[in-house]
Amino acid sequence: MPPLADRHGRRFPYLRLSITPACNFRCRYCLPHGYHAEAGSAGPLTLDEIARLLRGFAELGMQKLRITGGEPGVRRDLVEVLRTAAAAPGLKKLAMTTNGTLLSRRLHAWMDAGLNAINVSVDSLDRAAFARITGHDRLDDILHGVDMALDAELPAVKLNAVLLRGVNDNELPRWLDYLRDHAVGLRFIELMQTGDNLAFFRDHHVRAEALAGELRERGWQALPRALDDGPAREYTHPDYAGRIGIIAPYAKDFCAGCNRLRVTATGDLRLCLFGEFGIPLRKYLARDDQLPDLVRAIGGQIGRKEQGHFLHQGRTGITPHLASTGG
Ligand code: SAM
Ligand code: SF4
């Protein structure tokens, strides 16, 4: 099969698969009241369903897979999920996004299962602010897990920090101290509006581009962008071991670099994080001999991918919070 491409010339070698909508944190911009299962909701994809799904995407040129959620660590069979994912034909990179609560305990099991890249969400380096944002006083243990991942030479270690006005948007000096001797890729992510967080968004949204100017003034240099780089703009500085990436979803042309598709924990294909519809794939995942139908279903829908999101108009699609779609 030819690799997936849409009518706007974008290719999609990158899949983000949510393996659970559940989470043990209560981040104020995501699940401020914690996770509550919807009555009657279907369970997440099983290992067999995940294996079939990934075979389908492999036929369509998938090279990179990110396991996300919700919190992937709340799934008891996470190691088996990773092992199943690592076996997908042609996969070059197996990444996971996690809040890091299990990192220090499970890192080696995850790496043994095939994980070779991790993004850990660390919204603040201030212990009290971290606890206020996430509902849990776990910063020290999570940072210890990050150090372990660096010591273990996990090939890619990144940290995600969502920028929040009046909460953590004064921490650049603290982050720079950290990056001097930590070889991580820090990503500052601009807060996105979702179906559930409008009031919080109005109070705390701050444009990430403002940071870019500050970085340049401090001698950080933007790396040239390759076509398939994805949406982060990366900066480096010779005096620092770490890098900084800025993800600014409200910036002009943000969607032009889109290289990813998403599948929810229950097997709905989402062409955009903020799309208006999901495409149910689970019905093609019951048996191995459905592979051609699965591949046709995915390939046949890619033409419906819009050129960009409609966040500027306040249209957040069917995403109540990112835990539901897999952020
Ligand atoms: N639970 C894991 C974690 O927090 O890393 C994985 C899922 S979480 C939805 C994935 C990423 O999305 C996290 O880095 C989180 O901070 C980010 N995120 C969640 N809601 C967001 C929002 N409204 N705007 C921007 N980023 C958001
Ligand atoms: Fe959980 Fe991640 Fe959402 Fe925080 S951002 S509530 S850790 S899913």
Side-chain angles (χ1 to χ4, degrees), residues 48-63:
D48 284 344
E49 288 173 318
I50 289 173
R52 293 185 188 113
L53 178 84
L54 296 183
R55 245 175 270 140
F57 275 94
E59 288 225 351
L60 292 161
M62 175 183 68
Q63 296 184 356

mmCIF file with all atom_site columns, all heavy atoms in Angstrom, residues 48-63:
data_model
loop_
_atom_site.group_PDB
_atom_site.id
_atom_site.type_symbol
_atom_site.label_atom_id
_atom_site.label_alt_id
_atom_site.label_comp_id
_atom_site.label_asym_id
_atom_site.label_entity_id
_atom_site.label_seq_id
_atom_site.pdbx_PDB_ins_code
_atom_site.Cartn_x
_atom_site.Cartn_y
_atom_site.Cartn_z
_atom_site.occupancy
_atom_site.B_iso_or_equiv
_atom_site.pdbx_formal_charge
_atom_site.auth_seq_id
_atom_site.auth_comp_id
_atom_site.auth_asym_id
_atom_site.auth_atom_id
_atom_site.pdbx_PDB_model_num
ATOM 1   N N   . ASP A 1 48 ? -4.996  -7.999  21.572 1.00 0.00 ? 48 ASP A N   1
ATOM 2   C CA  . ASP A 1 48 ? -5.178  -8.525  20.211 1.00 0.00 ? 48 ASP A CA  1
ATOM 3   C C   . ASP A 1 48 ? -5.676  -7.436  19.273 1.00 0.00 ? 48 ASP A C   1
ATOM 4   O O   . ASP A 1 48 ? -5.237  -7.334  18.119 1.00 0.00 ? 48 ASP A O   1
ATOM 5   C CB  . ASP A 1 48 ? -6.201  -9.680  20.219 1.00 0.00 ? 48 ASP A CB  1
ATOM 6   C CG  . ASP A 1 48 ? -5.581  -10.953 20.762 1.00 0.00 ? 48 ASP A CG  1
ATOM 7   O OD1 . ASP A 1 48 ? -4.336  -11.016 20.840 1.00 0.00 ? 48 ASP A OD1 1
ATOM 8   O OD2 . ASP A 1 48 ? -6.337  -11.882 21.131 1.00 0.00 ? 48 ASP A OD2 1
ATOM 9   N N   . GLU A 1 49 ? -6.609  -6.616  19.779 1.00 0.00 ? 49 GLU A N   1
ATOM 10  C CA  . GLU A 1 49 ? -7.128  -5.537  18.924 1.00 0.00 ? 49 GLU A CA  1
ATOM 11  C C   . GLU A 1 49 ? -6.024  -4.520  18.601 1.00 0.00 ? 49 GLU A C   1
ATOM 12  O O   . GLU A 1 49 ? -5.924  -4.039  17.473 1.00 0.00 ? 49 GLU A O   1
ATOM 13  C CB  . GLU A 1 49 ? -8.306  -4.843  19.617 1.00 0.00 ? 49 GLU A CB  1
ATOM 14  C CG  . GLU A 1 49 ? -9.571  -5.698  19.647 1.00 0.00 ? 49 GLU A CG  1
ATOM 15  C CD  . GLU A 1 49 ? -10.676 -5.082  20.487 1.00 0.00 ? 49 GLU A CD  1
ATOM 16  O OE1 . GLU A 1 49 ? -10.373 -4.553  21.596 1.00 0.00 ? 49 GLU A OE1 1
ATOM 17  O OE2 . GLU A 1 49 ? -11.841 -5.137  20.071 1.00 0.00 ? 49 GLU A OE2 1
ATOM 18  N N   . ILE A 1 50 ? -5.209  -4.226  19.607 1.00 0.00 ? 50 ILE A N   1
ATOM 19  C CA  . ILE A 1 50 ? -4.108  -3.280  19.370 1.00 0.00 ? 50 ILE A CA  1
ATOM 20  C C   . ILE A 1 50 ? -3.151  -3.847  18.316 1.00 0.00 ? 50 ILE A C   1
ATOM 21  O O   . ILE A 1 50 ? -2.725  -3.144  17.392 1.00 0.00 ? 50 ILE A O   1
ATOM 22  C CB  . ILE A 1 50 ? -3.368  -2.978  20.695 1.00 0.00 ? 50 ILE A CB  1
ATOM 23  C CG1 . ILE A 1 50 ? -4.260  -2.131  21.607 1.00 0.00 ? 50 ILE A CG1 1
ATOM 24  C CG2 . ILE A 1 50 ? -2.040  -2.270  20.441 1.00 0.00 ? 50 ILE A CG2 1
ATOM 25  C CD1 . ILE A 1 50 ? -3.718  -1.911  23.014 1.00 0.00 ? 50 ILE A CD1 1
ATOM 26  N N   . ALA A 1 51 ? -2.828  -5.140  18.446 1.00 0.00 ? 51 ALA A N   1
ATOM 27  C CA  . ALA A 1 51 ? -1.893  -5.756  17.481 1.00 0.00 ? 51 ALA A CA  1
ATOM 28  C C   . ALA A 1 51 ? -2.454  -5.657  16.062 1.00 0.00 ? 51 ALA A C   1
ATOM 29  O O   . ALA A 1 51 ? -1.737  -5.309  15.108 1.00 0.00 ? 51 ALA A O   1
ATOM 30  C CB  . ALA A 1 51 ? -1.646  -7.212  17.861 1.00 0.00 ? 51 ALA A CB  1
ATOM 31  N N   . ARG A 1 52 ? -3.770  -5.909  15.908 1.00 0.00 ? 52 ARG A N   1
ATOM 32  C CA  . ARG A 1 52 ? -4.356  -5.849  14.552 1.00 0.00 ? 52 ARG A CA  1
ATOM 33  C C   . ARG A 1 52 ? -4.382  -4.420  14.032 1.00 0.00 ? 52 ARG A C   1
ATOM 34  O O   . ARG A 1 52 ? -4.090  -4.159  12.864 1.00 0.00 ? 52 ARG A O   1
ATOM 35  C CB  . ARG A 1 52 ? -5.779  -6.432  14.580 1.00 0.00 ? 52 ARG A CB  1
ATOM 36  C CG  . ARG A 1 52 ? -5.785  -7.915  14.863 1.00 0.00 ? 52 ARG A CG  1
ATOM 37  C CD  . ARG A 1 52 ? -7.179  -8.510  14.773 1.00 0.00 ? 52 ARG A CD  1
ATOM 38  N NE  . ARG A 1 52 ? -7.119  -9.877  15.234 1.00 0.00 ? 52 ARG A NE  1
ATOM 39  C CZ  . ARG A 1 52 ? -7.707  -10.344 16.346 1.00 0.00 ? 52 ARG A CZ  1
ATOM 40  N NH1 . ARG A 1 52 ? -8.454  -9.539  17.097 1.00 0.00 ? 52 ARG A NH1 1
ATOM 41  N NH2 . ARG A 1 52 ? -7.549  -11.596 16.702 1.00 0.00 ? 52 ARG A NH2 1
ATOM 42  N N   . LEU A 1 53 ? -4.746  -3.495  14.920 1.00 0.00 ? 53 LEU A N   1
ATOM 43  C CA  . LEU A 1 53 ? -4.778  -2.076  14.520 1.00 0.00 ? 53 LEU A CA  1
ATOM 44  C C   . LEU A 1 53 ? -3.410  -1.639  13.997 1.00 0.00 ? 53 LEU A C   1
ATOM 45  O O   . LEU A 1 53 ? -3.295  -1.000  12.939 1.00 0.00 ? 53 LEU A O   1
ATOM 46  C CB  . LEU A 1 53 ? -5.163  -1.217  15.732 1.00 0.00 ? 53 LEU A CB  1
ATOM 47  C CG  . LEU A 1 53 ? -5.191  0.282   15.472 1.00 0.00 ? 53 LEU A CG  1
ATOM 48  C CD1 . LEU A 1 53 ? -6.533  0.684   14.864 1.00 0.00 ? 53 LEU A CD1 1
ATOM 49  C CD2 . LEU A 1 53 ? -4.958  1.082   16.750 1.00 0.00 ? 53 LEU A CD2 1
ATOM 50  N N   . LEU A 1 54 ? -2.369  -2.023  14.732 1.00 0.00 ? 54 LEU A N   1
ATOM 51  C CA  . LEU A 1 54 ? -1.028  -1.554  14.370 1.00 0.00 ? 54 LEU A CA  1
ATOM 52  C C   . LEU A 1 54 ? -0.536  -2.223  13.090 1.00 0.00 ? 54 LEU A C   1
ATOM 53  O O   . LEU A 1 54 ? 0.201   -1.610  12.313 1.00 0.00 ? 54 LEU A O   1
ATOM 54  C CB  . LEU A 1 54 ? -0.057  -1.784  15.533 1.00 0.00 ? 54 LEU A CB  1
ATOM 55  C CG  . LEU A 1 54 ? -0.417  -0.977  16.797 1.00 0.00 ? 54 LEU A CG  1
ATOM 56  C CD1 . LEU A 1 54 ? 0.616   -1.196  17.880 1.00 0.00 ? 54 LEU A CD1 1
ATOM 57  C CD2 . LEU A 1 54 ? -0.565  0.519   16.493 1.00 0.00 ? 54 LEU A CD2 1
ATOM 58  N N   . ARG A 1 55 ? -0.972  -3.438  12.858 1.00 0.00 ? 55 ARG A N   1
ATOM 59  C CA  . ARG A 1 55 ? -0.615  -4.078  11.582 1.00 0.00 ? 55 ARG A CA  1
ATOM 60  C C   . ARG A 1 55 ? -1.220  -3.286  10.423 1.00 0.00 ? 55 ARG A C   1
ATOM 61  O O   . ARG A 1 55 ? -0.589  -3.071  9.392  1.00 0.00 ? 55 ARG A O   1
ATOM 62  C CB  . ARG A 1 55 ? -1.124  -5.533  11.548 1.00 0.00 ? 55 ARG A CB  1
ATOM 63  C CG  . ARG A 1 55 ? 0.026   -6.531  11.486 1.00 0.00 ? 55 ARG A CG  1
ATOM 64  C CD  . ARG A 1 55 ? -0.478  -7.950  11.579 1.00 0.00 ? 55 ARG A CD  1
ATOM 65  N NE  . ARG A 1 55 ? -0.538  -8.395  12.955 1.00 0.00 ? 55 ARG A NE  1
ATOM 66  C CZ  . ARG A 1 55 ? -1.498  -9.141  13.499 1.00 0.00 ? 55 ARG A CZ  1
ATOM 67  N NH1 . ARG A 1 55 ? -2.543  -9.527  12.771 1.00 0.00 ? 55 ARG A NH1 1
ATOM 68  N NH2 . ARG A 1 55 ? -1.439  -9.506  14.744 1.00 0.00 ? 55 ARG A NH2 1
ATOM 69  N N   . GLY A 1 56 ? -2.443  -2.829  10.624 1.00 0.00 ? 56 GLY A N   1
ATOM 70  C CA  . GLY A 1 56 ? -3.101  -2.015  9.589  1.00 0.00 ? 56 GLY A CA  1
ATOM 71  C C   . GLY A 1 56 ? -2.336  -0.730  9.328  1.00 0.00 ? 56 GLY A C   1
ATOM 72  O O   . GLY A 1 56 ? -2.042  -0.379  8.178  1.00 0.00 ? 56 GLY A O   1
ATOM 73  N N   . PHE A 1 57 ? -1.984  -0.019  10.409 1.00 0.00 ? 57 PHE A N   1
ATOM 74  C CA  . PHE A 1 57 ? -1.249  1.242   10.218 1.00 0.00 ? 57 PHE A CA  1
ATOM 75  C C   . PHE A 1 57 ? 0.138   0.984   9.652  1.00 0.00 ? 57 PHE A C   1
ATOM 76  O O   . PHE A 1 57 ? 0.662   1.791   8.880  1.00 0.00 ? 57 PHE A O   1
ATOM 77  C CB  . PHE A 1 57 ? -1.191  2.041   11.522 1.00 0.00 ? 57 PHE A CB  1
ATOM 78  C CG  . PHE A 1 57 ? -2.417  2.889   11.728 1.00 0.00 ? 57 PHE A CG  1
ATOM 79  C CD1 . PHE A 1 57 ? -3.482  2.420   12.474 1.00 0.00 ? 57 PHE A CD1 1
ATOM 80  C CD2 . PHE A 1 57 ? -2.520  4.139   11.147 1.00 0.00 ? 57 PHE A CD2 1
ATOM 81  C CE1 . PHE A 1 57 ? -4.635  3.186   12.642 1.00 0.00 ? 57 PHE A CE1 1
ATOM 82  C CE2 . PHE A 1 57 ? -3.658  4.920   11.300 1.00 0.00 ? 57 PHE A CE2 1
ATOM 83  C CZ  . PHE A 1 57 ? -4.722  4.438   12.056 1.00 0.00 ? 57 PHE A CZ  1
ATOM 84  N N   . ALA A 1 58 ? 0.734   -0.162  10.028 1.00 0.00 ? 58 ALA A N   1
ATOM 85  C CA  . ALA A 1 58 ? 2.060   -0.488  9.482  1.00 0.00 ? 58 ALA A CA  1
ATOM 86  C C   . ALA A 1 58 ? 1.974   -0.620  7.958  1.00 0.00 ? 58 ALA A C   1
ATOM 87  O O   . ALA A 1 58 ? 2.839   -0.139  7.230  1.00 0.00 ? 58 ALA A O   1
ATOM 88  C CB  . ALA A 1 58 ? 2.582   -1.773  10.110 1.00 0.00 ? 58 ALA A CB  1
ATOM 89  N N   . GLU A 1 59 ? 0.895   -1.228  7.478  1.00 0.00 ? 59 GLU A N   1
ATOM 90  C CA  . GLU A 1 59 ? 0.735   -1.355  6.015  1.00 0.00 ? 59 GLU A CA  1
ATOM 91  C C   . GLU A 1 59 ? 0.630   0.006   5.348  1.00 0.00 ? 59 GLU A C   1
ATOM 92  O O   . GLU A 1 59 ? 0.910   0.160   4.170  1.00 0.00 ? 59 GLU A O   1
ATOM 93  C CB  . GLU A 1 59 ? -0.530  -2.157  5.698  1.00 0.00 ? 59 GLU A CB  1
ATOM 94  C CG  . GLU A 1 59 ? -0.390  -3.613  6.026  1.00 0.00 ? 59 GLU A CG  1
ATOM 95  C CD  . GLU A 1 59 ? -0.917  -4.518  4.921  1.00 0.00 ? 59 GLU A CD  1
ATOM 96  O OE1 . GLU A 1 59 ? -1.537  -4.021  3.968  1.00 0.00 ? 59 GLU A OE1 1
ATOM 97  O OE2 . GLU A 1 59 ? -0.696  -5.726  5.045  1.00 0.00 ? 59 GLU A OE2 1
ATOM 98  N N   . LEU A 1 60 ? 0.191   0.988   6.114  1.00 0.00 ? 60 LEU A N   1
ATOM 99  C CA  . LEU A 1 60 ? -0.009  2.329   5.548  1.00 0.00 ? 60 LEU A CA  1
ATOM 100 C C   . LEU A 1 60 ? 1.169   3.258   5.854  1.00 0.00 ? 60 LEU A C   1
ATOM 101 O O   . LEU A 1 60 ? 1.045   4.476   5.768  1.00 0.00 ? 60 LEU A O   1
ATOM 102 C CB  . LEU A 1 60 ? -1.316  2.920   6.091  1.00 0.00 ? 60 LEU A CB  1
ATOM 103 C CG  . LEU A 1 60 ? -2.573  2.198   5.573  1.00 0.00 ? 60 LEU A CG  1
ATOM 104 C CD1 . LEU A 1 60 ? -3.780  2.481   6.452  1.00 0.00 ? 60 LEU A CD1 1
ATOM 105 C CD2 . LEU A 1 60 ? -2.855  2.614   4.131  1.00 0.00 ? 60 LEU A CD2 1
ATOM 106 N N   . GLY A 1 61 ? 2.287   2.679   6.268  1.00 0.00 ? 61 GLY A N   1
ATOM 107 C CA  . GLY A 1 61 ? 3.513   3.470   6.373  1.00 0.00 ? 61 GLY A CA  1
ATOM 108 C C   . GLY A 1 61 ? 3.840   4.005   7.749  1.00 0.00 ? 61 GLY A C   1
ATOM 109 O O   . GLY A 1 61 ? 4.720   4.857   7.885  1.00 0.00 ? 61 GLY A O   1
ATOM 110 N N   . MET A 1 62 ? 3.161   3.510   8.807  1.00 0.00 ? 62 MET A N   1
ATOM 111 C CA  . MET A 1 62 ? 3.490   4.007   10.154 1.00 0.00 ? 62 MET A CA  1
ATOM 112 C C   . MET A 1 62 ? 4.949   3.689   10.499 1.00 0.00 ? 62 MET A C   1
ATOM 113 O O   . MET A 1 62 ? 5.400   2.563   10.375 1.00 0.00 ? 62 MET A O   1
ATOM 114 C CB  . MET A 1 62 ? 2.571   3.333   11.189 1.00 0.00 ? 62 MET A CB  1
ATOM 115 C CG  . MET A 1 62 ? 2.910   3.701   12.620 1.00 0.00 ? 62 MET A CG  1
ATOM 116 S SD  . MET A 1 62 ? 1.880   2.834   13.812 1.00 0.00 ? 62 MET A SD  1
ATOM 117 C CE  . MET A 1 62 ? 2.430   1.145   13.632 1.00 0.00 ? 62 MET A CE  1
ATOM 118 N N   . GLN A 1 63 ? 5.676   4.723   10.967 1.00 0.00 ? 63 GLN A N   1
ATOM 119 C CA  . GLN A 1 63 ? 7.067   4.503   11.401 1.00 0.00 ? 63 GLN A CA  1
ATOM 120 C C   . GLN A 1 63 ? 7.261   4.858   12.860 1.00 0.00 ? 63 GLN A C   1
ATOM 121 O O   . GLN A 1 63 ? 8.191   4.396   13.497 1.00 0.00 ? 63 GLN A O   1
ATOM 122 C CB  . GLN A 1 63 ? 8.003   5.362   10.553 1.00 0.00 ? 63 GLN A CB  1
ATOM 123 C CG  . GLN A 1 63 ? 7.966   4.952   9.101  1.00 0.00 ? 63 GLN A CG  1
ATOM 124 C CD  . GLN A 1 63 ? 8.957   5.735   8.265  1.00 0.00 ? 63 GLN A CD  1
ATOM 125 O OE1 . GLN A 1 63 ? 9.616   6.636   8.744  1.00 0.00 ? 63 GLN A OE1 1
ATOM 126 N NE2 . GLN A 1 63 ? 9.058   5.371   7.015  1.00 0.00 ? 63 GLN A NE2 1
#
